């Protein structure tokens, strides 16, 4: 790859010849490099209830009753006016060897017109939307005296309003799956509701699984929440890194993300403990991740388990590691293999005959934490096996330039390295001007696979104090994010992909483990943080040529790209100061610019943010800019992020 030294030379030259006006200079005489077309993407894992209680649209919490071995958490008895019911976990009566317990509902007295049974509180409520069809399904069997039916309803928490109701009939002593549609009428949206199952007569019914889905994105049966998907699609992501993060590693080898346990019908998925302190249903399995990519027109960046887990366990390279290497090869076959391969055929059986596109496979996650220093040898074993079977795939090492050189992989040359930056706003402002400038342009490609700015340098994202702060970051953090994104964009000939992390947070108390997060939600509403909008402004306005830039006599940082097809020049400018900046914008190497351009601006007080109750306090605003020419002055508002779009004229 060509050395990108033009920026530095240009900056020095400009510094010596220009006056003291705050100036942002762009060299449009020639491109300084090519912008990576995959620069902006997403990273995801199960954290902060990202899937269960988040993107994965299932509404029933503890749907297979395995969340707690002692009690049926999130389920409660519904007894009313002299009726009587009990519920209990029953491990002697399970649907199959994956769903190892069932929930036994016994009604001893059923009063006419009074619902008697059990209720599920959902993930902080069951969202009710007007005129909406919900798909309810159960796995159930009954004792021989019970002749049914079982009534399923969505009911307000106070029991007064039944939003939708239907009946499952034909339940016998044999396990069977039942499904029905529940339709709401003209209800006002609310999450103050629960899912209630009642019996009209005494009897016992065992449930192996209870599920309720609202309409999903692209109507996928085991699909994703529409409002959250819309927010993601609006970011125009080119890739999705999954399934972690720490989630791929698990606390222990046994609790890693085992992809084979996440495919097939949901009744075949036992779920597993997630390292972020709660149980994952595995409803969001390998195929769901891949279809999620497909639905966003993004490419998967597949992280495979590489023999290191968070509590410090590692698998020795060599024969001990070999089964894990084979497992990764099979996982890749599931993703890209033809239907005449074993795992390609399994994918077809699971409902997706066409192979997915895959370019990058990441070996593990943050393996610099492995004190045994086994990563180099583990990486080599995976690398050799993957390259032998799939020579065109690119293999990513999880140890990048943010870690000491001595910890890097040396025995092989990774195609790409992944570096992570959780930094305070001040630190990003300080480090961004020089970030990556000195990187070896002949070295591996770079992926910034996790990054985010946080406001208070004393409160780190993973510390308990962070959970006392609002779940999503403020305008201040967006400023830190934007200067770092501009730096990555300036170096996007080498930094080919970047993604903010974590992506999601359920804002309910007790739901979150990490902050800051990009997108917040509860059962019924969703919103983007200022950081989300800053990212959107960057990702949706990107040229294909990097132009060299220099900031002179100003604290404004930025980047410039050009769309080679239209000639449009796109400047990203960030003013971290509390005062407006009259910025001279010098564009060298152009004869003329259209006098009319446009500006997309995100600005606000540093402490301002969006929230679940005020979802649009900080959003980008588009305006027309007049008087544009190769040297013109643009007034940057205080604490602002601006995308300027300028048209070149010949
Ligand atoms: O993004 C949260 C966590 O930060 C990720 O799981 C891990 O990779 C990193 O340490």
């Amino acid at each position: 790859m060509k050395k990108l030294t033009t920026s530095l030379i240009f900056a020095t030259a400009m510094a010596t010849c220009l006056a003291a006006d705050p100036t942002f200079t762009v060299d449009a005489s020639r491109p300084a490099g090519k912008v990576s077309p995959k620069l902006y993407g997403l990273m995801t894992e199960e954290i902060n209830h990202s899937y269960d209680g988040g993107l994965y649209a299932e509404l029933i919490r503890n749907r297979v009753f395995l969340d707690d071995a002692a009690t049926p958490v999130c389920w409660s008895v519904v007894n009313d006016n002299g009726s009587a019911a009990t519920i209990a976990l029953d491990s002697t009566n399970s649907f199959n060897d994956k769903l190892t317990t069932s929930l036994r509902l016994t009604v001893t007295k059923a009063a006419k017109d009074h619902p008697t049974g059990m209720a599920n509180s959902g993930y902080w409520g069951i969202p009710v939307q007007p005129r909406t069809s919900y798909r309810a399904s159960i796995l159930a069997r009954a004792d021989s005296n019970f002749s049914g039916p079982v009534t399923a309803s969505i009911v307000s928490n106070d029991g007064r309003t039944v939003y939708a109701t239907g009946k499952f009939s034909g339940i016998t002593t044999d396990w069977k799956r039942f499904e029905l549609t529940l339709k709401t009428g003209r209800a006002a949206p609310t999450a103050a509701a629960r899912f209630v199952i009642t019996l009209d007569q005494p009897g016992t019914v065992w449930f192996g699984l209870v599920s309720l889905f609202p309409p999903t994105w692209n109507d996928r049966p085991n699909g994703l929440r529409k409002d959250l998907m819309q927010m993601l699609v609006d970011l125009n992501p080119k890739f999705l890194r999954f399934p972690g993060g720490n989630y791929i590693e698990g606390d222990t080898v046994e609790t890693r993300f085992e992809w084979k346990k996440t495919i097939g019908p949901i009744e075949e998925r036992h779920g597993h403990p997630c390292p972020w302190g709660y149980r994952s249903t595995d409803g969001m399995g390998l195929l769901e991740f891949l279809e999620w990519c497909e639905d966003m027109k993004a490419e998967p960046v597949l992280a495979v388990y590489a023999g290191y887990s968070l509590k410090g366990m590692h698998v020795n390279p060599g024969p001990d590691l070999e089964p894990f290497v084979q497992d990764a090869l099979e996982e890749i076959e599931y993703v890209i293999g033809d239907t005449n391969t074993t795992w390609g055929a399994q994918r077809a059986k699971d409902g997706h005959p066409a192979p997915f596109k895959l370019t990058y496979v990441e070996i593990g996650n943050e393996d610099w934490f492995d004190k045994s220093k086994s990563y180099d040898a583990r990486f080599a074993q995976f690398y050799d096996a993957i390259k032998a079977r799939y020579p065109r795939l690119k293999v990513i090492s999880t140890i990048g330039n943010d870690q000491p050189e001595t910890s890097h992989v040396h025995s092989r040359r990774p195609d790409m390295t992944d570096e992570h930056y959780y930094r305070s706003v001040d630190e990003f402002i300080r480090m961004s001007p020089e970030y990556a400038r000195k990187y070896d342009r002949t070295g591996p490609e770079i992926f910034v696979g996790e990054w985010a700015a946080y406001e208070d340098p004393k409160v780190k994202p993973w510390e308990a104090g962070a959970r006392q702060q609002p779940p999503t970051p403020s305008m201040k953090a967006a400023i830190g994010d934007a200067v770092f994104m501009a730096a990555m964009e300036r170096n996007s000939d080498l930094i080919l992909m970047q993604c903010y992390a974590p992506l999601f947070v359920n804002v309910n108390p007790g739901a979150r483990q990490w902050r800051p997060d990009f997108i917040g939600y509860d059962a019924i509403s969703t919103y983007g943080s200022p950081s989300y909008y800053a990212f959107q402004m960057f990702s949706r306005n990107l040229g294909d040529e990097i132009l060299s830039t220099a900031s002179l006599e100003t604290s404004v940082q930025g980047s410039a790209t050009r769309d080679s097809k239209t000639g449009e020049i796109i400047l990203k400018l960030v003013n971290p100061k509390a005062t407006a900046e009259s910025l001279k914008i010098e564009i060298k190497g152009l004869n003329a610019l259209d006098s009319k351009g446009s500006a997309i601006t995100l600005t606000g007080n540093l402490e301002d943010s969006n929230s679940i109750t005020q979802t649009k306090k900080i959003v980008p605003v588009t305006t027309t800019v007049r008087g544009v020419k190769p040297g013109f002055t643009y007034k940057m508002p205080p604490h602002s992020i601006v995308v300027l779009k300028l048209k070149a004229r010949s």
Side-chain angles (χ1 to χ4, degrees):
M1 221 165 279
K2 213 164 61 96
K3 277 205 177 264
L4 188 74
T5 49
T6 39
S7 262
L8 190 56
I9 296 163
F10 187 59
T12 318
M14 295 313 302
T16 44
C17 68
L18 279 180
D21 283 346
T23 306
F24 188 79
T25 312
V26 179
D27 182 2
S29 61
R30 64 200 158 94
K34 278 204 173 315
V35 175
S36 163
K38 287 187 187 162
L39 183 59
Y40 294 98
L42 303 173
M43 184 271 167
T44 179
E45 66 173 316
E46 183 58 283
I47 183 173
N48 302 322
H49 285 273
S50 289
Y51 313 142
D52 292 341
L55 182 66
Y56 180 52
E58 174 65 81
L59 298 178
I60 303 299
R61 188 165 182 186
N62 196 15
R63 71 179 177 190
V64 296
F65 320 109
L66 291 165
D67 282 8
D68 187 305
T71 52
V73 288
C74 301
W75 290 94
S76 58
V77 164
V78 177
N79 277 335
D80 189 15
N81 204 22
S83 63
T86 57
I87 55 172
L89 296 176
D90 188 349
S91 56
T92 65
N93 201 338
S94 57
F95 174 75
N96 63 16
D97 62 347
K98 309 291 186 330
L99 310 187
T100 48
T101 192
S102 61
L103 186 61
R104 188 178 61 231
L105 167 65
T106 303
V107 170
T108 48
K109 204 166 144 204
K112 202 167 180 302
D113 295 334
H114 290 287
T116 310
M118 60 187 196
N120 186 271
S121 49
Y123 291 95
W124 296 274
I126 299 284
V128 176
Q129 296 287 1
R131 292 186 199 84
T132 301
S133 294
Y134 295 75
R135 195 168 33 82
S137 61
I138 56 172
L139 296 171
R141 63 172 293 265
D143 68 14
S144 51
N145 300 326
F146 180 79
S147 56
V150 165
T151 303
S153 316
I154 301 173
V155 182
S156 61
N157 284 344
D158 63 9
R160 290 200 186 138
T161 311
V162 177
Y163 294 108
T165 190
K167 288 186 192 303
F168 297 109
S169 2
I171 296 175
T172 67
T173 52
D174 294 328
W175 281 110
K176 214 174 130 194
R177 185 170 187 282
F178 301 86
E179 188 171 313
L180 60 79
T181 302
L182 300 178
K183 281 193 185 148
T184 57
R186 293 192 330 166
T190 178
R194 7 183 240 169
F195 183 67
V196 175
I197 290 183
T198 54
L199 308 189
D200 301 348
Q201 54 166 277
T204 297
V205 181
W206 287 264
F207 297 87
L209 178 148
V210 179
S211 169
L212 181 69
F213 272 87
T216 58
W217 187 263
N218 280 349
D219 291 328
R220 294 199 188 270
N222 193 39
L224 309 181
R225 213 171 123 163
K226 284 175 134 184
D227 54 354
L228 287 171
M229 273 301 281
Q230 188 62 59
M231 293 207 63
L232 301 182
V233 168
D234 288 348
L235 291 172
N236 193 24
K238 298 298 181 212
F239 67 87
L240 177 71
R241 172 180 177 236
F242 68 85
N246 290 354
Y247 187 54
I248 179 92
E249 302 164 274
D251 276 342
T252 61
V253 178
E254 290 69 38
T255 57
R256 69 192 183 277
F257 179 84
E258 276 193 82
W259 70 273
K260 283 179 190 158
K261 295 184 176 172
T262 72
I263 56 173
I266 58 171
E267 53 268 30
E268 296 296 327
R269 303 186 197 182
H270 177 77
H272 77 285
C274 129
W276 294 104
Y278 55 95
R279 195 178 162 78
S280 164
T281 62
D282 286 341
M284 192 77 196
L286 179 58
L287 186 60
E288 285 75 25
F289 282 111
L290 295 166
E291 290 179 337
W292 173 10
C293 294
E294 186 170 86
D295 287 350
M296 297 191 299
K297 300 188 176 43
E299 206 180 294
V301 172
L302 179 69
V304 296
Y305 179 75
Y308 176 76
S309 293
L310 294 161
K311 287 198 168 153
M313 299 166 94
H314 79 278
V315 181
N316 282 321
D320 290 354
L321 192 64
E322 205 43 37
F324 296 91
V325 174
Q326 289 311 313
D327 194 62
L329 291 176
E330 288 168 354
E331 185 172 6
I332 295 168
E333 186 174 287
Y334 187 91
V335 179
I336 59 174
D338 289 341
T339 50
N340 57 8
T341 63
T342 308
W343 290 101
Q346 181 63 48
R347 184 193 62 239
K349 193 171 161 222
D350 294 342
H352 203 289
F356 293 90
K357 186 163 185 242
L358 183 72
T359 307
Y360 290 103
V361 177
E362 180 157 7
I363 311 303
N365 177 60
E366 295 190 338
D367 285 82
W368 65 83
F369 282 112
D370 177 6
K371 299 274 182 302
S372 76
K373 309 274 178 242
S374 64
Y375 187 59
D376 196 328
R378 287 189 287 111
F379 179 87
Q381 205 171 328
F382 278 92
Y383 179 97
D384 291 351
I386 292 171
K387 290 285 182 182
R389 181 88 56 92
Y390 302 105
R392 69 160 189 83
L393 286 183
K394 294 190 176 185
V395 182
I396 306 175
S397 154
T398 69
I399 307 188
N401 293 293
D402 56 328
Q403 298 301 319
E405 222 280 322
T406 49
S407 67
H408 291 194
V409 167
H410 292 286
S411 65
R412 301 290 180 280
R413 186 186 189 279
D415 297 304
M416 181 176 250
T417 59
D418 179 359
E419 45 195 78
H420 293 179
Y421 294 91
Y422 295 105
R423 298 285 190 275
S424 70
V425 174
D426 295 346
E427 175 64 9
F428 269 140
I429 289 174
R430 196 194 57 73
M431 69 176 259
S432 293
E434 292 302 314
Y435 171 65
R437 215 198 268 277
K438 297 203 185 94
Y439 279 1
D440 176 6
R441 254 64 198 175
T442 62
E445 298 169 347
I446 293 174
F447 176 28
V448 182
E450 291 181 30
W451 64 269
Y454 51 94
E455 301 90 332
D456 182 347
K458 294 192 291 300
V459 185
K460 305 279 189 295
W462 49 91
E463 291 173 351
R467 294 192 286 279
Q468 308 308 314
Q469 299 176 335
T472 51
S474 64
M475 183 64 210
K476 178 175 178 180
I479 298 274
D481 295 330
V483 293
F484 188 53
M485 281 194 287
M488 289 190 275
E489 209 173 273
R490 289 194 299 273
N491 291 281
S492 67
D493 59 318
L494 176 63
I495 296 169
L496 298 195
M497 301 190 292
Q498 62 100 329
C499 43
Y500 186 102
L503 181 59
F504 286 135
V505 63
N506 185 313
V507 301
N508 279 289
R512 56 196 174 103
Q513 294 79 44
W514 187 286
R515 110 171 285 261
D517 306 292
F518 225 26
I519 297 172
Y521 48 85
D522 59 14
I524 199 131
S525 307
T526 176
Y527 72 96
S529 59
S531 303
Y532 166 90
Y533 287 110
F535 189 96
Q536 188 190 71
M537 287 162 63
F538 274 61
S539 66
R540 285 175 30 166
N541 297 288
L542 185 64
D544 55 350
E545 293 176 350
I546 303 169
L547 301 180
S548 292
T549 60
S551 293
L552 305 168
E553 302 297 333
T554 178
S555 45
V556 169
Q557 298 188 27
S559 64
T561 62
R562 172 165 50 202
D563 182 329
S564 60
K565 284 198 200 80
T566 63
E568 185 175 57
I569 292 181
I570 303 154
L571 308 186
K572 277 104 183 209
L573 301 169
V574 190
N575 179 12
K577 283 194 314 186
T579 50
E581 182 88 317
S582 286
L583 191 67
K584 195 160 166 211
I585 297 185
E586 293 276 5
I587 303 189
K588 304 284 176 192
L590 274 189
N591 292 333
L593 281 164
D594 207 332
S595 66
K596 213 162 85 178
S598 67
I600 309 166
T601 305
L602 191 72
T603 186
N605 296 322
L606 284 187
E607 64 282 6
D608 283 352
S609 194
N610 297 327
S611 68
I612 203 77
T613 49
Q614 209 175 1
T615 56
K616 296 267 159 73
K617 185 167 181 176
I618 306 262
V619 289
V621 175
T622 303
T623 50
T624 301
V625 182
R626 294 180 198 281
V628 174
K629 51 188 177 178
F632 72 108
T633 298
Y634 185 77
K635 195 167 175 193
M636 295 274 302
H639 301 141
S640 63
I641 302 164
V642 177
V643 175
L644 279 182
K645 299 172 80 174
L646 313 174
K647 285 211 172 63
R649 267 205 322 224
S650 42

